[in-house]
Amino acid sequence: MPARRHGRDWLHVRLPDGRDIAWYDREAARVTLLDAGREEEALAALGPYLTGPVAVGPPPVPTSADLVRLSLHPDDDLAPNRPGEALLLDLDRTPGPARRLRPDPRRAELAAQRTVGDALDAMDGAGWHALHSLPLPGGHRVHHLLIGPGGLYVLHVRSAHRQQATVAEPRVRIGRRPPEPVLHRARADADRAAHALTAEVRPVLVLAGARRVTVAGAPRGVRILTDADVPGLARGGGVLKPADVEALYAAARDRRTWAGL
């Protein structure tokens, strides 16, 4: 039976009564056995789908990060948060008039956060984890947090759909809108995340859908991307070990980690 878990394609081997006896993780090239006595049957069933050499064995022993994650109360687990969660809640509470001369800007920002969130979630199978709309004291939200082999990134997103954006420290001008001190916000979010997780966190400003981005001098410590550039973050590596990635992810998804900031 095919399944998709954690961004990966799996194949489960089940008995007629529905019990799993094994599963095959294609990307990890591993067959996990729940019943060692049925190894030959499981491998025979998976035979047509196996590609190249695979590791075969029992489920791995849970790490300390796994145990922390499993012990989280559902109300404290931020992993299910959707991209743009705060905007969704705001639009549900105050949807605005049915007819208006101009589109609601909140919907453009929601679309931008969803686009970036989808790009981050697609990195899951490469050893990265993404969290969205992390609530901070005072009502502010971190748009996205990315944790993986290349380190930690906080992504602040602004919609620039088909518009030109100009970045001039510390302000960003999008289209004809007045310039805003967006770079201060990106750095502040990264600083608060670094304080919460006691780790280095790098700020990223994503100008989603921008037709053109002009940067007048390199902004201090902030990486400037469009949504099309976001997948390139996954190419970084050599900063965190897998165990460190999992431990930081377990801490970051716990609401209590952010409550004392």
Side-chain angles (χ1 to χ4, degrees):
M1 296 291 295
R4 188 164 179 82
R5 297 173 60 188
H6 310 301
R8 298 185 180 185
D9 292 321
W10 297 43
L11 285 174
H12 288 249
V13 181
R14 292 176 178 165
L15 297 175
D17 63 7
R19 285 187 297 125
D20 276 346
I21 61 170
W23 60 77
Y24 171 41
D25 182 347
R26 296 175 185 269
E27 291 188 28
R30 177 181 174 83
V31 175
T32 299
L33 294 170
L34 298 181
D35 186 343
R38 294 182 178 270
E39 178 176 346
E40 290 187 8
E41 296 173 72
L43 292 178
L46 289 169
Y49 308 99
L50 299 178
T51 55
V54 296
V56 180
V61 177
T63 65
S64 57
D66 292 329
L67 296 176
V68 170
R69 183 171 66 250
L70 292 171
S71 67
L72 274 181
H73 188 280
D75 290 343
D76 291 324
D77 190 357
L78 299 174
N81 279 15
R82 299 164 292 179
E85 186 87 30
L87 287 167
L88 284 166
L89 296 174
D90 190 39
L91 285 165
D92 285 342
R93 285 193 299 263
T94 55
R99 295 183 179 180
R100 52 189 303 164
L101 296 177
R102 295 182 179 180
D104 191 329
R106 294 176 298 174
R107 298 193 180 278
E109 295 299 333
L110 174 59
Q113 290 191 37
R114 282 174 165 171
T115 296
V116 174
D118 288 345
L120 295 175
D121 287 339
M123 300 179 194
D124 186 74
W128 293 80
H129 297 294
L131 294 166
H132 313 289
S133 197
L134 300 176
L136 300 179
H140 181 66
R141 297 242 180 175
V142 171
H143 292 171
H144 307 283
L145 175 67
L146 181 66
I147 305 171
L152 292 86
Y153 298 93
V154 154
L155 290 85
H156 187 78
V157 180
R158 287 297 174 97
S159 173
H161 184 60
R162 296 181 181 177
Q163 299 179 83
Q164 179 169 329
T166 302
V167 180
E169 180 77 44
R171 300 181 181 275
V172 176
R173 183 185 182 97
I174 299 174
R176 297 182 179 179
R177 284 180 263 169
E180 298 179 79
V182 179
L183 298 176
H184 284 334
R185 170 51 60 193
R187 281 191 283 263
D189 286 352
D191 288 345
R192 296 180 80 175
H195 179 73
L197 299 170
T198 61
E200 181 184 5
V201 181
R202 285 171 280 184
V204 178
L205 173 63
V206 183
L207 300 167
R211 177 172 56 85
R212 181 181 176 186
V213 177
T214 301
V215 179
R220 178 175 55 83
V222 182
R223 193 167 176 177
I224 310 296
L225 304 177
T226 67
D227 54 297
D229 302 323
V230 168
L233 292 173
R235 290 194 283 270
V239 176
L240 296 176
K241 298 177 181 178
D244 296 330
V245 171
E246 295 303 320
L248 285 165
Y249 177 58
R253 66 186 294 180
D254 188 341
R255 184 184 300 274
R256 294 167 294 184
T257 298
W258 308 93
L261 294 178

